[in-house]
Amino acid sequence: MSDARSRMVARAAQEIAPGMVVNLGIGLPTQVVNHLPADFPVCLHSENGLTGIGAMLPYDEADRNLIDAGGAYVSTIPGSAFFDSAVSFALVRSGRLDLTLLGAFEVARNGDLANWKIPGKFSPGAGGAIELAQKARRVVVMTTHCDRKGNPKLLDACTLPLTARGRVARIYTDMAVVDVTPNGFALRELATGVSVAELRAATGASITIPQSDIPTF
Amino acid sequence: MSDARSRMVARAAQEIAPGMVVNLGIGLPTQVVNHLPADFPVCLHSENGLTGIGAMLPYDEADRNLIDAGGAYVSTIPGSAFFDSAVSFALVRSGRLDLTLLGAFEVARNGDLANWKIPGKFSPGAGGAIELAQKARRVVVMTTHCDRKGNPKLLDACTLPLTARGRVARIYTDMAVVDVTPNGFALRELATGVSVAELRAATGASITIPQSDIPTF
Amino acid sequence: MKLPDKSTELHDVIAAIPNGATVLVGGFGVPGTPFTLLNELARQGQRDLVLVKNDANEAGMGIDHLIKNGQVRKLIVTHLGLNANAIAAMNSGDLEVEFCAQGILAERIRAGGAGLGAILTDIGIETELANGKQVVEMNGRAMLVEPALRADVALIHAAIADPFGNLAYAATARNFNPLMAMAAARVIVEAEALVPLGGLAPDAVETTGAFVDHVVEIKELSQEYGIVRR
Amino acid sequence: MKLPDKSTELHDVIAAIPNGATVLVGGFGVPGTPFTLLNELARQGQRDLVLVKNDANEAGMGIDHLIKNGQVRKLIVTHLGLNANAIAAMNSGDLEVEFCAQGILAERIRAGGAGLGAILTDIGIETELANGKQVVEMNGRAMLVEPALRADVALIHAAIADPFGNLAYAATARNFNPLMAMAAARVIVEAEALVPLGGLAPDAVETTGAFVDHVVEIKELSQEYGIVRR
């Protein structure tokens, strides 16, 4: 992982406040747990029916019946609980999920999120993404600022089918921390070594820049 | 219990076929179990969240957390299971309840049932009666043929608020076994010592009498 | 990481309930009724409450105290069963009572806990229980709209809890408790035993603590929890 | 009285599934997938099946065999995950696929098991997942009607069963299994262990046998049940 991505993960870990119930999307979001203290009070939720996700386990220590929603073999911790898929999403939809960190293909300046389908190229189905994005109390995106071809992911409007409308509150990228405000994107922090000009060039929408000093991460 | 009622209970017990899931209403219906052999394969359901109802227990042997839907202290048998109230009625509504035996204030010749409310006199709420009457695969009534004042309970049309429309298939009384048919009530059996004339006089609707010999119970 | 600790004191947790709150109350008859929480609520005296419960308990126990104290504005219930006080209060107009079919009350609460808007059902259709309810046509069949029921507070009785709020129930004391434990903004649990984290096996948990806000251990079971000799 | 015995043989119970059946299949990834029942269904070759499952398993296991055999007319699923075969079959038009949000699929099946007509939800509203769905206004808010989903057959994997069909699941192998076990006319269970009546404590039962029709004990766990090293 690049240095900038590592710092993005570390910075995003600060989203997690004590006592929260949190769902971490597959990939980068999963790694924020590495930046929490051992005694940090938090409950991690996995859509396939688990609260209290423990460490990932190597194959030779794994329990064949115990995976997370991404298919990784995980462990329990004291106080873990199993439940069925209806209860699992009851928790998500009824407001018990305080935070979700999700990946994104595109985020629009009004908080629209597209992260499940690229028509004609990638359409494996949304799984639980719709409900996480639509119902978590706070929806935060973690993503590279641009896609592999260098095209911006932060846009005036999404071009891909939406996962949920107007739900993204904040975006962590390898270049910046950006909030979604009633006036569109607002820069909060810059990655070390990234200039405002570089950020603007890599962003597909206008972005409000603070007048004061811009913190770095 | 009068002799006629005892025979009614014994006769009604024959409703229960091997393998059935059965819900027995409070009162007389509960007593049909006394007429089943010890190894008879049947599953008794209680609305408050129990399949596999065992014997009623005296107070000094009771488990304070184990009652049936009527509030009686009961026991478990090998294979009993507890579940919540949503699952309990899921079972009823989704067609898994093969038979319910219920009490009645009134039954109409089209199978309408009234057994939960007497406006101005008795309106404690229906509890689970609506769902039992509306969704059990077979709904059978056990009742005295007339009320305490001697008024018939089998009528052309119910006068009381309905529990369910057109669902009663058969009625066991202290005078007769009566089926509800597309042509209204049809006599199947007479209690020992009851004449057809007495039955007609005690019934508030026309009743089809078989041409052949009428079995007795 | 470790799971958060939600254990707290009886007085404080009931004091957080305001006048006018809608309160789900577990229990079917005696089993599963949160008598300790209810007795403290009766002692503190919050008023204008809307209670949702399967039944009205029996005279002299549970929510009967709240009804007699005049703390209850409205009761949503499936039947008033053995409580003649409650029936009298309803008949005199002192207590507003809304009746709901038992399994539909369970489903409405569960729908609230599941973040749904409503369920569609034919239960009660063409009877007086359908009066005033929204009707929707679905594939040519009329169905009643039974709205999800969520509350400000849920009062739950569990046999065993851990500090995170994972719960296990005993026998038919389960009844409405796991449903109500999903369906309120503030879920308050009384537990007969509070065990350390890990004291409940993950497969034995019947309500995940993710739904629960506060856990109170019952110091001593009062006599209401015992066998009722009628 | 004693509880009925529903234990039976693998061949017979799968032979009762006709061509054209709609079949609920438990599992989320490997855990909870009824591989033994599915392998027998692949061997017997029933055709025109409509399968309902969280995912399409991985290539070379579970329902992938049925898809490759051309036994599946339609798949209702939340995602095709790791199965490139299934995605290719969908893209070529050989397999009709209907996508459903994961929790809504769970609720639709549960609603079928609960004898409801539908649930009302705002999940997917104003996205393409809402296309073609009935909309109902409720208190001024638009809600989607998500119809209950019931099937002819459910194929369930349990860790432990007794002869009546009481079931317990292991860890995240629970997933869709308890929901599907309520929602079919013929519920067929494979169990890793078949214990005598009474071998499961009443509080440990996660699905009451009242919902179950047939129980088959797995003679030997095939390799699909093991750890997948990717």
Side-chain angles (χ1 to χ4, degrees):
Chain A
M1 188 154 53
S2 74
D3 186 51
R5 284 209 209 178
S6 296
R7 281 180 283 118
M8 166 176 77
V9 171
R11 178 63 188 81
Q14 296 172 36
E15 279 286 334
I16 301 178
M20 277 184 165
V21 181
V22 179
N23 186 293
L24 301 173
I26 298 168
L28 279 179
T30 312
Q31 300 179 21
V32 301
V33 297
N34 302 328
H35 297 273
L36 297 177
D39 62 347
F40 192 88
V42 65
C43 172
L44 298 183
H45 166 255
S46 187
E47 300 96 290
N48 58 325
L50 170 61
T51 44
I53 310 177
M56 288 196 195
L57 293 179
Y59 292 127
D60 54 3
E61 294 173 22
D63 174 344
R64 66 190 166 87
N65 288 315
L66 181 41
I67 62 173
D68 68 14
Y73 293 98
V74 295
S75 54
T76 57
I77 59 176
S80 293
F82 300 120
F83 36 82
D84 67 43
S85 296
V87 169
S88 191
F89 282 92
L91 186 160
V92 173
R93 287 189 306 264
S94 68
R96 285 285 169 182
L97 187 64
D98 297 298
L99 174 69
T100 188
L101 300 183
L102 297 172
F105 299 151
E106 297 176 344
V107 183
R109 65 194 300 275
N110 67 350
D112 286 357
L113 172 67
N115 75 349
W116 73 280
K117 186 174 182 180
I118 303 173
K121 285 189 185 167
F122 177 81
S123 55
I130 308 280
E131 284 152 295
L132 290 171
Q134 194 173 333
K135 293 297 183 183
R137 286 186 179 274
R138 181 169 166 85
V139 177
V140 169
V141 161
M142 291 178 68
T143 177
T144 55
H145 206 85
C146 297
D147 68 18
R148 284 176 190 171
K149 295 179 180 170
N151 296 315
K153 290 182 156 197
L154 280 61
L155 304 173
D156 273 326
C158 291
T159 65
L160 296 170
L162 294 185
T163 311
R165 286 187 187 271
R167 294 284 299 136
V168 176
R170 175 170 273 201
I171 307 146
Y172 292 91
T173 79
D174 49 355
M175 297 184 77
V177 178
V178 176
D179 273 352
V180 174
T181 77
N183 300 315
F185 293 127
L187 177 65
R188 297 302 184 214
E189 301 177 26
L190 275 173
T192 304
V194 174
S195 71
V196 167
E198 286 168 334
L199 180 75
R200 284 197 200 275
T203 303
S206 66
I207 182 164
T208 306
I209 309 295
Q211 298 296 312
S212 51
D213 281 353
I214 301 167
T216 57
F217 67 93
Chain B
M1 188 154 51
S2 73
D3 186 51
R5 282 209 212 178
S6 296
R7 281 181 282 119
M8 166 176 76
V9 171
R11 177 64 187 84
Q14 296 173 36
E15 278 287 334
I16 302 179
M20 277 186 166
V21 181
V22 179
N23 186 293
L24 301 173
I26 298 170
L28 280 180
T30 313
Q31 300 179 22
V32 301
V33 297
N34 303 328
H35 297 272
L36 297 177
D39 63 346
F40 192 88
V42 64
C43 173
L44 297 184
H45 165 256
S46 186
E47 301 96 290
N48 58 326
L50 169 61
T51 44
I53 309 177
M56 287 196 195
L57 293 179
Y59 292 126
D60 55 2
E61 294 174 23
D63 173 345
R64 66 189 167 87
N65 288 313
L66 182 42
I67 62 173
D68 68 13
Y73 293 97
V74 295
S75 55
T76 57
I77 58 175
S80 293
F82 300 121
F83 37 82
D84 67 44
S85 297
V87 169
S88 191
F89 282 91
L91 185 159
V92 174
R93 286 188 307 266
S94 68
R96 284 287 169 182
L97 187 64
D98 296 299
L99 174 69
T100 189
L101 299 183
L102 297 172
F105 299 150
E106 297 176 344
V107 183
R109 65 193 300 274
N110 66 351
D112 287 357
L113 172 67
N115 74 350
W116 73 280
K117 187 174 182 179
I118 303 173
K121 287 189 186 168
F122 178 79
S123 54
I130 308 281
E131 285 152 293
L132 291 172
Q134 195 173 331
K135 293 296 183 181
R137 286 186 178 275
R138 180 169 167 86
V139 177
V140 169
V141 162
M142 290 178 70
T143 179
T144 55
H145 206 84
C146 297
D147 67 18
R148 285 177 191 172
K149 296 180 180 168
N151 296 314
K153 290 183 157 196
L154 279 61
L155 304 172
D156 272 327
C158 291
T159 66
L160 297 170
L162 294 185
T163 310
R165 285 185 188 272
R167 295 284 298 136
V168 176
R170 173 170 274 202
I171 307 147
Y172 292 92
T173 80
D174 48 356
M175 298 184 75
V177 178
V178 175
D179 273 351
V180 175
T181 75
N183 300 316
F185 294 127
L187 176 65
R188 298 301 184 216
E189 301 177 24
L190 275 173
T192 304
V194 175
S195 71
V196 167
E198 285 168 333
L199 180 76
R200 285 197 200 273
T203 302
S206 65
I207 182 165
T208 307
I209 309 295
Q211 298 298 314
S212 51
D213 281 354
I214 301 168
T216 57
F217 67 93
Chain C
M1 294 173 295
K2 63 169 191 199
L3 290 163
D5 187 334
K6 302 166 184 174
S7 56
T8 184
E9 294 305 317
L10 176 61
H11 172 275
D12 302 354
V13 84
I14 296 297
I17 302 175
N19 293 333
T22 296
V23 184
L24 306 175
V25 184
F28 187 121
V30 164
T33 302
F35 292 111
T36 302
L37 299 176
L38 289 170
N39 287 345
E40 179 65 14
L41 184 57
R43 201 187 65 76
Q44 293 190 14
Q46 283 90 331
R47 305 189 73 80
D48 275 329
L49 301 173
V50 176
L51 300 188
V52 182
K53 192 172 182 307
N54 176 64
D55 56 83
N57 286 125
E58 301 178 39
M61 63 166 71
I63 68 166
D64 184 57
H65 296 309
L66 303 177
I67 294 169
K68 277 199 296 199
N69 290 351
Q71 293 174 261
V72 183
R73 179 172 69 73
K74 180 177 176 181
L75 181 59
I76 302 176
V77 76
T78 80
H79 67 90
L80 297 178
L82 296 167
N83 191 338
N85 292 343
I87 293 175
M90 171 179 73
N91 288 341
S92 71
D94 290 341
L95 177 65
E96 181 184 349
V97 177
E98 176 183 325
F99 288 109
C100 192
Q102 198 161 71
I104 297 304
L105 184 64
E107 285 295 324
R108 289 183 60 195
I109 294 164
R110 190 196 165 279
L116 305 175
I119 56 165
L120 300 187
T121 176
D122 62 355
I123 293 297
I125 208 154
E126 297 182 333
T127 77
E128 67 174 53
L129 268 87
N131 292 352
K133 290 181 179 163
Q134 183 179 355
V135 178
V136 164
E137 187 137 326
M138 200 188 142
N139 302 326
R141 284 178 60 206
M143 304 290 279
L144 300 179
V145 178
E146 292 282 3
L149 211 166
R150 262 188 92 77
D152 303 307
V153 176
L155 303 182
I156 303 300
H157 177 87
I160 309 173
D162 70 21
F164 179 56
N166 289 313
L167 308 181
Y169 310 95
T172 60
R174 193 181 314 191
N175 56 66
F176 283 76
N177 280 300
L179 310 168
M180 292 178 167
M182 296 165 67
R186 185 187 291 268
V187 174
I188 303 171
V189 175
E190 58 166 54
E192 298 190 16
L194 183 62
V195 299
L197 284 177
L200 271 171
D203 274 320
V205 172
E206 294 167 40
T207 293
T208 163
F211 287 108
V212 172
D213 297 289
H214 311 288
V215 179
V216 174
E217 188 174 27
I218 301 171
K219 305 292 185 207
E220 194 174 355
L221 288 179
S222 54
Q223 71 169 40
E224 296 102 315
Y225 293 97
I227 302 288
V228 183
R229 292 168 190 255
R230 297 187 184 90
Chain D
M1 292 172 297
K2 63 170 192 196
L3 291 163
D5 186 333
K6 303 167 184 175
S7 57
T8 183
E9 294 305 317
L10 176 61
H11 172 274
D12 301 353
V13 85
I14 296 297
I17 303 174
N19 292 333
T22 296
V23 184
L24 306 174
V25 184
F28 186 123
V30 164
T33 302
F35 292 111
T36 301
L37 299 176
L38 290 170
N39 287 345
E40 179 65 13
L41 185 57
R43 201 187 64 76
Q44 292 191 13
Q46 283 89 334
R47 305 189 72 81
D48 276 328
L49 302 173
V50 176
L51 299 188
V52 182
K53 192 173 182 306
N54 176 65
D55 55 82
N57 286 125
E58 301 178 39
M61 63 166 73
I63 68 166
D64 184 57
H65 295 310
L66 303 177
I67 295 170
K68 276 199 297 200
N69 290 352
Q71 293 174 262
V72 183
R73 180 174 68 74
K74 180 177 175 180
L75 181 60
I76 302 177
V77 77
T78 81
H79 68 89
L80 297 178
L82 296 165
N83 190 338
N85 292 344
I87 294 175
M90 171 179 72
N91 289 341
S92 71
D94 290 340
L95 177 66
E96 181 184 348
V97 177
E98 177 183 324
F99 288 110
C100 192
Q102 198 162 69
I104 297 304
L105 184 63
E107 286 295 324
R108 289 183 60 195
I109 295 164
R110 191 196 164 281
L116 306 175
I119 56 166
L120 300 187
T121 176
D122 63 355
I123 293 297
I125 207 155
E126 298 183 332
T127 75
E128 67 173 53
L129 269 87
N131 292 351
K133 290 182 178 161
Q134 183 179 357
V135 178
V136 164
E137 187 139 323
M138 200 189 143
N139 302 326
R141 285 177 62 206
M143 304 290 278
L144 300 179
V145 178
E146 292 281 3
L149 211 165
R150 261 189 93 78
D152 303 306
V153 176
L155 304 182
I156 304 300
H157 177 88
I160 308 173
D162 71 19
F164 179 55
N166 289 314
L167 308 180
Y169 309 96
T172 59
R174 193 180 314 190
N175 56 66
F176 282 76
N177 279 301
L179 310 168
M180 291 176 166
M182 296 164 67
R186 185 187 290 268
V187 174
I188 303 171
V189 175
E190 58 165 56
E192 298 189 15
L194 183 62
V195 299
L197 283 178
L200 272 171
D203 273 321
V205 172
E206 294 168 39
T207 293
T208 164
F211 288 108
V212 171
D213 298 289
H214 310 288
V215 179
V216 173
E217 187 173 29
I218 301 171
K219 305 292 186 210
E220 193 175 355
L221 288 179
S222 53
Q223 69 168 39
E224 297 102 314
Y225 293 97
I227 303 289
V228 182
R229 295 170 187 252
R230 296 184 186 93

